[in-house]
Amino acid sequence: MSQNRPETRLARRFAALHNEGRAGLVAFVTAGDPDRARSQAILDGLPAAGADIIELGMPFSDPMADGPAIQASSQRALAAGMTLRGTLDMVRSFRNTDGDTPIVLMGYYNPIYIYGVERFLVDAREAGVDGFIVVDLPPEEEREFCLPCLEAGLNFIYLTTPTTDDARLPKVVEKASGFVYYVSITGITGTASAAASDVAAAVTRIRKYTDLPVAVGFGIKTPVQAAEIARVADAVVVGSALVGQVVAHLETGDPVAAVLQLTRDLAEGIRQARD
């Protein structure tokens, strides 16, 4: 069983959620989408809208594991001038008014490698980052970034999938910390959604190998779907649906308001699942 439990905002937040008897909402948005000002407004507004944990995407030119919605959000952010340093600046600004909500940076290793791992971890911790999801670093590459994260007192979240069998699962969760992210479908983000019964069985299996909270994502778009997953998981991750609100309201509406309203609706669905 995993014992990687540094005293972080993630550990405190999941403990609070457990005491409340409900699952949490992990809201994913891409840093700098559609531009720095509106992205900062979205980020700053997520906690009040009901996000328990924020997953902030680090824009990258080749987000191979992401579906069209998140790929497009990354391209918009890059076109608007967002950088990895700018992403950290957004977190730093967020921390001026919110010292409690955990922020996990999600992305790919190439920009981190170019930045420099040691310097990046120092800067990320100083900015107020709590952990990382780096989708192209499997456990076999743990020395690249996972172990340095843990040494820096930051969480490293590993992904598991429906194809992660019982032979591999213990290795995946061995060095995981913060939580385990169960990708409920095979393929890219923002596509199909998994049946709640299948998710429940998968979460039960994961819990045989770790005492970390299990968050479930991929394909969750509506409050009803979020509520179904909230009944069997410790947290529900929603990304493509929120990012989709940016592009849907980019030309003719208010993307900030649209993202925050969907966040409220999702949070309400999850809270009702407790009742």
Side-chain angles (χ1 to χ4, degrees), residues 113-134:
Y113 177 79
I114 292 172
Y115 194 110
V117 168
E118 184 176 351
R119 184 163 62 96
F120 179 67
L121 287 172
V122 170
D123 291 351
R125 182 166 184 171
E126 183 274 330
V129 172
D130 298 290
F132 303 91
I133 300 170
V134 184

Side-chain angles (χ1 to χ4, degrees), residues 1 7 14 18 31 36 96-97 101-102 129 163 171 182 215 221 233 256 266 271:
M1 300 290 281
E7 181 58 28
F14 275 110
H18 178 76
R36 171 63 186 268
N96 288 331
T97 57
T101 304
V129 172
T163 60
K171 175 62 177 175
Y182 176 62
K221 300 178 180 179
V256 176
L266 292 163
R271 288 176 182 273

Side-chain angles (χ1 to χ4, degrees), residues 6-142:
E7 181 58 28
T8 65
R9 292 185 187 92
L10 277 170
R12 291 192 292 271
R13 181 53 51 95
F14 275 110
L17 290 168
H18 178 76
N19 290 337
E20 289 182 41
R22 68 173 180 90
L25 172 61
V26 182
F28 172 92
V29 292
T30 299
D33 179 33
D35 52 54
R36 171 63 186 268
R38 284 182 287 185
S39 182
Q40 189 75 56
I42 290 170
L43 180 64
D44 293 346
L46 283 172
D52 298 293
I53 297 165
I54 297 170
E55 188 182 333
L56 186 61
M58 299 177 284
F60 182 50
S61 58
D62 186 25
M64 57 188 175
D66 294 305
I70 293 178
Q71 286 187 15
S73 73
S74 210
Q75 293 301 321
R76 286 192 300 271
L78 291 171
M82 183 50 58
T83 63
L84 191 52
R85 187 176 298 278
T87 300
L88 296 182
D89 287 341
M90 287 186 62
V91 177
R92 191 175 291 107
S93 178
F94 176 88
R95 289 290 176 224
N96 288 331
T97 57
D98 189 316
D100 298 321
T101 304
I103 293 183
V104 174
L105 297 187
M106 177 271 184
Y108 299 80
Y109 185 52
N110 182 265
I112 296 170
Y113 177 79
I114 292 172
Y115 194 110
V117 168
E118 184 176 351
R119 184 163 62 96
F120 179 67
L121 287 172
V122 170
D123 291 351
R125 182 166 184 171
E126 183 274 330
V129 172
D130 298 290
F132 303 91
I133 300 170
V134 184
V135 299
D136 54 348
L137 283 182
E140 289 77 11
E141 304 294 336
E142 63 187 19

Side-chain angles (χ1 to χ4, degrees), residues 241-242 245-246 248-249 253-265:
L242 292 172
Q245 292 298 301
V246 174
H249 296 84
D254 183 347
V256 176
V259 171
L260 297 181
Q261 184 57 56
L262 180 55
T263 303
R264 287 191 211 52
D265 295 341

